[in-house]
Amino acid sequence: MFFDNASTTKIDKELLEDIVELNEKFFYNPGGLYSKGREVKNYIEDCRNKILSCLGGDGKFVFTGSATEANNLAIMGVLKKNVRKLLFSMGEHPSVYNTALELKNKGYDVEFVNLNKFGVVDIDDFKEKMTKDVDFVSIMHVSNETGAINDISNLVSVAKSINKNVIFHSDGVQAYGKIDVDLYDLDVDLYTISAHKIYGCKGIGGLFVKKGISLKPLILGGGQEGGLRSGTENVLAIDIFAKAVVNAKRDLIKNVNHIKFLKNKFLEGIDNFNIKYSLHSFEDNAPNIISISFDGCKAETILNMLNDNMVYVGNGSACSSKSIENRVLESMGVSRSEVEGNLRISFSKDNTPQEIDKLLICLNECVEKYLCKVR
Ligand code: PLP
């Protein structure tokens, strides 16, 4: 039973149905000048347009090899503009956070905005650090750790009121398909999404680039993707990605209602446990993620015990040889012992209420067994 759906999802079977046929029809090189090559190129453009019309916003969409790459492209791609200062949040995914640290190490003026106890950007800290010389901001839309939702349109308007030329990027990987996303409303300049979080395949992501924003490519070569991402396009992955984006928008309300039902069932269930726990995900967060800590437990041990029962959950914390760390929870003010006992449980549209019952039974047994051992 898979409850780590914020890390990845299984490709929807219906999206794989025409893959063999598509492979026959569209295996040609989209860069070929012959008619078959042009047909593939046109098909890719159709997929791109489908994605753009689901995202909203006036701009283009660049296919990349992952959302990690799209985030890197968004940040590194603006550097040619002699950016004076760059602002990130403490909650960012490593694909943004580590890129920011790398820039800081290289001598760029990089600052991080703190999170509040709900896991969203602390608006007072943002206003203080968002000075006139900040030329680039990257703040994620939904946290991959807690599901906390940043008010991106408000942050964009605050940022632009201070520096109207600031470029605002948001990592929307955990937002698209979980909450309503409309890039016209958000008014961001750059926005990242990933296919494998929305029942598409791994190894493909993309970056929305608002009209008028110019970027420098990270990968040079044959000039595909309007010169922004060279390399022969993966038309089959693009096909699945576009269909996944369309379905995620079409089924948003249905999927959210189902996932909310599962989440509430889980939360009611753990209330009957004999064990103290704390939640770091809140009512108005994205519904699919629950960040939870069990008092006195080490998350890794619980995770391994669940694994022995074929129940797979996520570990919010990264273990180094010295300690267990979670930058995001720590920046929310979560205590060290809670960080050590933190699990990330994340649901998909394919989880069932019966699976939640089994998860609860198993989790209860594992936590009780664990506590008996350590007491
Ligand atoms: N950004 C966020 C918020 C994520 O959760 C992830 C994946 O976990 C990524 C970026 C990276 O996505 P990908 O696996 O497509 O590189």
Side-chain angles (χ1 to χ4, degrees):
M1 285 187 300
F2 189 63
F3 295 106
D4 192 22
N5 294 280
S7 79
T8 198
T9 52
K10 189 165 29 163
I11 305 176
D12 253 339
K13 272 204 190 107
E14 68 164 280
L15 303 186
L16 293 167
E17 272 163 14
D18 352 303
I19 279 300
V20 173
E21 199 187 311
L22 274 173
N23 181 45
E24 289 301 316
K25 210 165 144 195
F26 289 144
F27 78 89
Y28 307 94
N29 194 314
L33 294 181
Y34 35 84
S35 57
K36 291 293 179 191
R38 284 201 305 274
E39 275 174 27
V40 185
K41 179 102 191 90
N42 289 340
Y43 190 70
I44 291 173
E45 293 318 309
D46 287 348
C47 292
R48 195 190 311 280
N49 289 333
K50 274 188 202 157
I51 294 177
L52 276 168
S53 68
C54 288
L55 288 176
D58 185 10
K60 56 191 174 199
F61 188 78
V62 183
F63 290 111
T64 57
S66 61
T68 297
E69 188 192 316
N71 282 340
N72 273 259
L73 175 62
I75 301 163
M76 311 289 254
V78 298
L79 291 180
K80 71 165 190 233
K81 292 193 170 247
N82 294 331
V83 288
R84 292 166 293 172
K85 191 168 167 186
L86 302 97
L87 200 55
F88 300 87
S89 88
M90 283 303 291
E92 299 304 307
H93 182 267
S95 55
V96 169
Y97 188 76
N98 291 338
T99 308
L101 286 185
E102 175 69 12
L103 293 182
K104 201 174 167 76
N105 288 339
K106 283 189 172 152
Y108 284 92
D109 191 356
V110 170
E111 268 215 83
F112 294 95
V113 183
N114 295 324
L115 303 181
N116 66 18
K117 63 178 180 183
F118 300 109
V120 293
V121 158
D122 178 333
I123 190 71
D124 294 330
D125 197 40
F126 181 74
K127 284 179 179 163
E128 201 177 306
K129 290 175 178 158
M130 181 57 232
T131 45
K132 279 194 171 69
D133 55 350
V134 172
D135 288 322
F136 179 83
V137 178
S138 182
I139 305 244
M140 73 199 319
H141 199 176
V142 170
S143 165
N144 51 298
E145 295 281 350
T146 63
I149 305 172
N150 281 307
D151 185 349
I152 295 297
S153 64
N154 182 42
L155 293 168
V156 171
S157 83
V158 169
K160 302 239 170 189
S161 71
I162 295 164
N163 173 6
K164 69 176 175 23
N165 295 320
V166 67
I167 296 180
F168 201 114
H169 166 248
S170 184
D171 174 349
V173 166
Q174 298 287 347
Y176 191 83
K178 316 296 179 329
I179 61 170
D180 197 21
V181 171
D182 181 338
L183 299 189
Y184 283 112
D185 288 349
L186 296 182
D187 201 25
V188 284
D189 299 303
L190 301 160
Y191 194 83
T192 300
I193 60 170
S194 180
H196 73 105
K197 312 285 183 175
I198 52 168
Y199 316 99
C201 46
K202 294 162 190 58
I204 183 158
L207 183 68
F208 166 83
V209 183
K210 196 199 240 173
K211 203 170 168 182
I213 301 294
S214 77
L215 287 179
K216 190 175 69 174
L218 297 183
I219 298 175
L220 301 173
Q224 288 89 345
E225 293 298 297
L228 277 175
R229 205 283 183 176
S230 288
T232 305
E233 298 91 335
N234 183 346
V235 65
L236 299 185
I238 287 173
D239 166 75
I240 293 173
F241 191 8
K243 287 174 177 158
V245 167
V246 170
N247 289 356
K249 193 167 181 89
R250 183 194 65 198
D251 299 337
L252 181 69
I253 294 173
K254 186 175 86 184
N255 292 343
V256 164
N257 284 342
H258 175 69
I259 286 170
K260 270 190 181 159
F261 173 77
L262 299 180
K263 182 182 184 177
N264 289 337
K265 187 172 171 61
F266 176 80
L267 292 176
E268 279 163 23
I270 47 164
D271 256 354
N272 299 324
F273 281 22
N274 265 336
I275 299 141
K276 267 195 13 206
Y277 66 88
S278 50
L279 291 175
H280 316 297
S281 301
F282 304 94
E283 182 75 36
D284 50 2
N285 284 16
N288 56 317
I289 298 177
I290 294 179
S291 173
I292 186 165
S293 301
F294 291 100
D295 218 19
C297 292
K298 292 258 183 304
E300 206 190 344
T301 316
I302 300 292
L303 189 145
N304 287 333
M305 291 167 89
L306 289 171
N307 178 68
D308 293 342
N309 291 283
M310 288 188 294
V311 174
Y312 310 117
V313 299
N315 183 1
S317 314
C319 303
S320 72
S321 54
K322 289 198 199 96
S323 63
I324 296 174
E325 290 160 7
N326 185 313
R327 160 178 46 86
V328 179
L329 294 181
E330 277 161 25
S331 115
M332 288 165 65
V334 173
S335 71
R336 175 130 291 273
S337 69
E338 284 174 306
V339 167
E340 287 185 354
N342 181 254
L343 293 174
R344 184 184 68 175
I345 296 172
S346 50
F347 306 114
S348 86
K349 68 180 177 61
D350 297 324
N351 286 126
T352 63
Q354 292 75 17
E355 285 181 333
I356 302 296
D357 288 332
K358 286 189 200 149
L359 168 66
L360 285 164
I361 293 170
C362 222
L363 192 56
N364 198 11
E365 275 173 15
C366 290
V367 175
E368 291 223 336
K369 220 191 264 173
Y370 174 89
L371 289 174
C372 283
K373 267 195 216 154
V374 295
R375 266 177 198 146

